[in-house]
Amino acid sequence: MSDELFRDRVRERDLDNFLVEELHASPEFRSWLLGHLTARFDAPEGCEVRLQKSPTRLQDSRQTDVQIGWFDPTGAVTARVLIESKVTADFQPGQAEAYAAEVAAARSELGARRAASVLVAPAGRLCTLLDASTFDASVSIEDIADALEARRGEDVPVEVDARLAVRVQLLEALCGKRVSTAWIARTVPEKRDFAEAYAALARERLPALRVRPSTDGPKAITRIFEGLTLPGLPVPALRHEFGNAVSWKWVNAQFSGLAHLAPAARASGILAGTPYSAEEAGKSLAIRARTPGIDPQSPFASQRDAVVAGLDAMAALVDWLKGNAPKLAVVLQGGTPAPRAAAATARNAASLDREFTDALRDIYAQCAALDYHPTGMLQMIDRLGGIGTARRLLELPPSEGFARLALLERIDLAVESLVLEPRWDGIFTEEERRIAQRRLR
């Protein structure tokens, strides 16, 4: 068979299409996959099984990659399994939590063992994806390929054997095993090894931050850090840019949607005497400093000094942001001193986050008393803290939980109501408060 038939680059949607077709056509494969869920899920008997790609979830406007549904003779759904596939991408903000919320709602409606979620990804990605444990089971692409390969040893028709062979090739390409034959894998082994060494060093030098797992693809020339919350400011995206065979690049903090304020930041004087500049980065305002360029395809040892310089520059940038948050908040709010920002910065940021977290947990307890359990919010608190959780929820579309509280006439338990309480003056930006006010109206 000519390799020219398989020169297309594989993508995540190829995995989705494979899962839909194989789960529909092969009850044996479907049983094998569901066997990973025996501790959490029981497939109902005597029901029609239907497959669906990219259905919109009931709890929010997001989509599930693949969904298996069981339907009784009346057409009513009796069980659901949601499948999320990951090849090189990371979870989007709140994505894992949204899956957990959808499964929790389905279990409440269908039964405790009538809904579950599965994460499918290369084995190497399963070890590095944050929030992978949110799913009820994780299945590696390599294991799926082995299961299909095992079937080829059975007495199967020639056509089926040929189809299985092609599908094994596809799966091997998706998990990076095939480089020059069949499909071309997106992952670059050298970059994957580099990313693991980089993450280990980052944990040593920046223990308060989390480095987001790398995609390890051909365009993986940036590392993103999470975990920084600044009073009175939006959550910044902290980026260490490697470049691509260049001498110099940047570490920067990007504030989404505020690119138009770069001239004001430059004119404010807060960057005078510092290594930082204010630049437009797409739609974001970037506060950045120059750092040595890095080649992520070279041996890590040869690039270690440049990596250390970049990580130290990131640490210095974080310290500067913390020390200058009140001044930066003035700039980002149009140059007028904000009483809320002044009040917030007069109090300890960590103490405020603990207080706000306690308030969110109290909300959860009151919701639970109403037989409503927003478990997705609890999981976000563990990852982002209380204030970070509120900001993330304000960034996302209103949840099903918000509508449910409105129906219960307990909108006072919504996160939006908590954000607007006077005791949190200065914690949230004016735009975040306006979003909360609009939703409550």
Side-chain angles (χ1 to χ4, degrees):
M1 187 179 294
S2 172
D3 281 350
E4 294 303 316
L5 295 174
F6 310 111
R7 289 298 182 184
D8 292 334
R9 177 178 292 170
V10 292
R11 294 175 174 83
E12 192 169 287
R13 64 172 175 265
D14 296 312
L15 179 58
D16 297 342
N17 290 333
F18 160 80
L19 289 170
V20 169
E21 294 173 6
E22 196 70 20
L23 288 167
H24 172 77
S26 173
E28 178 182 349
F29 176 73
R30 187 165 64 241
S31 296
W32 177 85
L33 185 72
L34 295 176
H36 293 77
L37 288 168
T38 53
R40 302 299 305 272
F41 179 80
D42 293 326
E45 298 181 359
C47 291
E48 178 187 1
V49 179
R50 303 177 192 171
L51 272 296
Q52 193 173 13
K53 180 183 173 184
S54 303
T56 300
R57 295 202 288 269
L58 302 177
Q59 303 304 304
D60 53 34
S61 59
R62 298 172 183 265
Q63 291 180 327
T64 296
D65 285 338
V66 176
Q67 179 174 251
I68 312 175
W70 285 260
F71 294 80
D72 67 17
T74 69
V77 63
T78 61
R80 298 168 62 199
V81 169
L82 311 182
I83 302 176
E84 170 66 17
S85 58
K86 290 293 181 190
V87 177
T88 59
D90 297 317
F91 288 120
Q92 299 172 10
Q95 185 179 21
E97 296 90 341
Y99 265 94
E102 183 80 357
V103 170
R107 285 173 175 160
S108 177
E109 176 186 358
L110 304 174
R113 297 182 61 84
R114 285 292 188 260
S117 60
V118 179
L119 175 63
V120 177
R125 297 288 291 136
L126 292 176
C127 297
T128 59
L129 276 169
L130 295 174
D131 297 328
S133 61
T134 302
F135 293 79
D136 296 305
S138 295
V139 181
S140 74
I141 296 176
E142 290 90 335
D143 284 347
I144 295 176
D146 289 344
L148 296 188
E149 187 66 42
R151 286 190 61 200
R152 298 190 62 201
E154 301 173 4
D155 186 17
V156 297
V158 173
E159 180 180 346
V160 174
D161 184 76
R163 290 178 185 274
L164 290 171
V166 170
R167 293 190 171 194
V168 169
Q169 289 183 24
L170 169 64
L171 294 172
E172 289 181 341
L174 285 164
C175 60
K177 288 185 177 181
R178 292 179 180 265
V179 178
S180 59
T181 61
W183 289 274
I184 300 173
R186 291 180 65 85
T187 56
V188 178
E190 295 85 357
K191 287 190 176 183
R192 183 168 60 247
D193 296 340
F194 189 98
E196 293 173 356
Y198 178 94
L201 187 58
R203 286 192 293 270
E204 293 179 12
R205 303 188 80 89
L206 295 169
L209 301 177
R210 299 180 297 274
V211 60
R212 185 182 297 174
S214 170
T215 62
D216 306 325
K219 297 181 180 180
I221 54 175
T222 300
R223 294 296 181 274
I224 300 175
F225 290 80
E226 300 174 327
L228 177 64
T229 300
L230 300 167
L233 290 171
V235 176
L238 302 174
R239 301 169 62 90
H240 182 190
E241 299 179 10
F242 294 173
N244 192 1
V246 297
S247 298
W248 299 97
K249 204 57 180 173
W250 312 95
V251 293
N252 57 81
Q254 295 187 6
F255 295 92
S256 179
L258 299 180
H260 63 286
L261 293 177
R266 291 191 288 265
S268 68
I270 64 172
L271 303 175
T274 75
Y276 307 117
S277 63
E279 308 293 341
E280 296 87 349
K283 295 182 179 180
S284 298
L285 164 64
I287 306 297
R288 70 185 190 182
R290 195 170 74 159
T291 56
I294 295 170
D295 182 2
Q297 294 194 76
S298 295
F300 185 80
S302 70
Q303 304 293 303
R304 191 179 190 280
D305 289 346
V307 171
V308 169
L311 293 175
D312 289 349
M314 179 65 76
L317 174 59
V318 169
D319 288 342
W320 184 87
L321 289 168
K322 290 178 178 178
N324 292 272
K327 296 177 182 178
L328 191 56
V330 171
V331 174
L332 300 190
Q333 294 180 17
T336 303
R340 290 190 174 91
T345 54
R347 301 163 65 188
N348 181 272
S351 175
L352 278 173
D353 192 66
R354 285 195 297 271
E355 292 177 27
F356 194 87
T357 297
D358 290 342
L360 281 181
R361 293 189 184 280
D362 181 64
I363 281 179
Y364 179 87
Q366 294 186 63
C367 289
L370 299 173
D371 199 27
Y372 165 48
H373 302 274
T375 54
M377 182 181 74
L378 286 183
Q379 294 164 348
M380 292 179 73
I381 290 172
D382 291 338
R383 178 184 175 191
L384 303 175
I387 294 173
T389 293
R391 287 187 167 135
R392 184 60 53 81
L393 291 173
L394 290 171
E395 292 173 358
L396 297 172
S399 67
E400 180 69 20
F402 184 91
R404 184 168 180 175
L405 289 173
L407 291 173
L408 292 171
E409 297 185 354
R410 290 304 308 271
I411 206 67
D412 58 299
L413 296 180
V415 171
E416 288 80 357
S417 295
L418 181 64
V419 164
L420 295 176
E421 290 185 8
R423 57 178 167 156
W424 311 119
D425 281 357
I427 300 300
F428 301 96
T429 66
E430 289 301 318
E431 177 59 23
E432 289 167 338
R433 292 172 61 84
R434 279 194 290 270
I435 291 172
Q437 290 168 344
R438 285 197 299 268
R439 292 183 183 179
L440 294 173
R441 284 200 298 268

